[in-house]
């Protein structure tokens, strides 16, 4: 084994992991009083928050996906988590917006509700803790990620020293257009894999949590939907969260874990969206 370079034993890797691990809570807590359930439905839910079914929250060094139908609340989920990190945890967020869904007005509304007492703002306006970058095609998105890595490794800007979360909303907006057509399929697939690897290396190399959104497509083998972008993309996220809406009246939204490296699958929590974000 002496000819192998950079050999590291498992105990050293484990100690390094423990010393650098951060668990970023999402702040998405279920308000059971605001939900309309009968007692049998309530008894089905053993967990009352998204953090419970995630094992504490979003883990640094990992990529997490929220997928669901258009309009179900994926962007609202990202904005709510970003506001929690900035306004409650007093940490910084980089928000990469590919679909023009980022809303500074919504950010201000949620933070105003969360930070009623100015003393909780930790002497820094929480809105300054969230930086938004807009990109609308995959080549520029890859450039943005490379520039972000340079900023995270530099000590010139104090903002990036406190970045714990990178939001990418959404991958489908810039990947789906390049996957269409037989001529672009091979090239588009390669670009998609390159984007996925860039997100994974960003999380791992710079010890941040990455949260991105994805759409759904119909499953030809069943009546259900599945995450878009196919099997190759399914290997990219460490955790997958399915955001969906029930057919009951009034409809109710749920978050369900469909992929996780540490937690049981199919655990669900009911959520609602109001002025202060997701609950």
């Amino acid at each position: 084994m002496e000819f192998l370079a950079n050999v590291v034993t498992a105990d050293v890797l484990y100690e390094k992991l423990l010393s650098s691990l951060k668990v970023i809570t999402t702040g998405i807590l279920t308000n059971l009083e605001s939900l309309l359930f009968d007692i049998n439905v309530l008894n089905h839910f053993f967990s009352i928050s998204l953090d419970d079914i995630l094992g504490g929250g979003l883990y640094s060094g990992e990529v997490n996906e929220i997928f669901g139908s258009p309009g179900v609340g994926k962007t609202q989920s990202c904005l709510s988590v970003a506001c929690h990190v900035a306004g409650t945890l007093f940490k910084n967020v980089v928000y990469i917006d590919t679909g023009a869904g980022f809303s500074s007005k919504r950010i201000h509304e949620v933070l105003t509700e969360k930070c009623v007492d100015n003393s909780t703002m930790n002497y820094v306006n929480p809105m300054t803790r969230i930086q938004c970058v807009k990109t609308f095609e995959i080549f520029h998105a890859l450039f943005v990620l490379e520039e972000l890595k340079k900023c995270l490794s530099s000590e010139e800007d104090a903002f990036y020293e406190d970045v714990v979360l990178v939001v990418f909303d959404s991958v489908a907006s810039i990947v789906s257009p390049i996957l269409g057509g037989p001529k672009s399929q091979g090239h588009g697939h390669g670009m998609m894999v390159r984007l996925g690897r860039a997100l994974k290396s960003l999380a791992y190399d710079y010890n941040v949590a990455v949260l991105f959104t994805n759409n759904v497509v119909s499953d030809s083998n069943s009546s259900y939907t599945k995450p878009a972008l196919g099997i190759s993309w399914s290997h990219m996220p460490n955790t997958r969260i399915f955001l969906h809406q029930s057919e009951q009246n009034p409809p109710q939204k749920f978050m369900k874990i469909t992929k996780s490296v540490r937690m049981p699958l199919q655990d669900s929590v009911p959520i609602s969206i109001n002025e202060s974000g997701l609950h």
Side-chain angles (χ1 to χ4, degrees), residues 194-262:
R194 184 179 169 188
L195 176 64
R197 289 175 176 172
L199 291 171
K200 289 178 77 73
S201 67
L202 174 68
Y204 182 80
D205 294 339
Y206 299 94
N207 200 38
V208 297
V210 172
L211 175 65
F212 61 84
T213 63
N214 190 9
N215 292 337
V216 294
V217 294
S218 299
D219 189 342
S220 58
N221 298 320
S222 69
S223 59
Y224 299 100
T225 57
K226 61 182 180 181
L229 306 183
I231 296 176
S232 297
W233 186 261
S234 68
H235 301 294
M236 301 302 175
N238 300 96
T239 302
R240 273 186 147 163
I241 305 166
F242 182 28
L243 177 55
H244 61 106
Q245 185 169 279
S246 70
E247 297 180 356
Q248 69 186 61
N249 190 16
Q252 177 60 55
K253 290 181 171 62
F254 297 89
M255 281 185 161
K256 178 170 67 175
I257 303 298
T258 63
K259 177 183 178 181
S260 175
V261 296
R262 68 178 58 81

Side-chain angles (χ1 to χ4, degrees), residues 119-240:
S119 64
T120 63
M121 292 189 180
N122 198 29
Y123 306 107
V124 176
N125 184 346
M127 291 194 72
T128 65
R129 293 188 177 276
I130 303 174
Q131 287 191 359
C132 177
V133 182
K134 293 186 179 292
T135 179
F136 301 108
E137 55 92 20
I138 194 165
F139 293 101
H140 184 250
L142 290 168
F143 172 77
V144 167
L145 291 176
E146 288 303 314
E147 290 300 304
L148 176 56
K149 291 178 182 180
K150 293 178 183 178
C151 292
L152 290 171
S153 60
S154 173
E155 298 180 354
E156 296 180 1
D157 192 333
F159 176 88
Y160 294 99
E161 294 180 5
D162 261 353
V163 170
V164 298
L165 175 67
V166 176
V167 177
F168 197 100
D169 181 28
S170 74
V171 295
S173 296
I174 58 173
V175 172
S176 295
I178 64 173
L179 293 179
K183 294 183 179 180
S184 63
Q185 188 171 4
H187 174 72
H189 180 271
M191 294 302 297
M192 178 187 72
V193 172
R194 184 179 169 188
L195 176 64
R197 289 175 176 172
L199 291 171
K200 289 178 77 73
S201 67
L202 174 68
Y204 182 80
D205 294 339
Y206 299 94
N207 200 38
V208 297
V210 172
L211 175 65
F212 61 84
T213 63
N214 190 9
N215 292 337
V216 294
V217 294
S218 299
D219 189 342
S220 58
N221 298 320
S222 69
S223 59
Y224 299 100
T225 57
K226 61 182 180 181
L229 306 183
I231 296 176
S232 297
W233 186 261
S234 68
H235 301 294
M236 301 302 175
N238 300 96
T239 302
R240 273 186 147 163

Side-chain angles (χ1 to χ4, degrees), residues 32-72:
L32 295 177
E33 295 179 357
S34 66
L35 303 176
L36 301 177
F37 291 110
D38 60 37
I39 189 64
N40 294 325
V41 175
L42 280 176
N43 287 337
H44 173 73
F45 295 101
F46 300 99
S47 304
I48 61 171
S49 77
L50 178 60
D51 292 331
D52 287 336
I53 65 175
L54 287 174
L58 306 176
Y59 283 62
S60 60
E62 296 184 1
V63 292
N64 308 269
E65 177 185 83
I66 298 178
F67 69 95
S69 303
V72 75

Side-chain angles (χ1 to χ4, degrees), residues 1-10 12-13 16 204:
M1 297 290 289
E2 25 180 75
F3 59 86
L4 292 178
N6 302 321
V7 175
V8 182
T9 59
V12 173
L13 289 173
K16 181 180 179 181
Y204 182 80

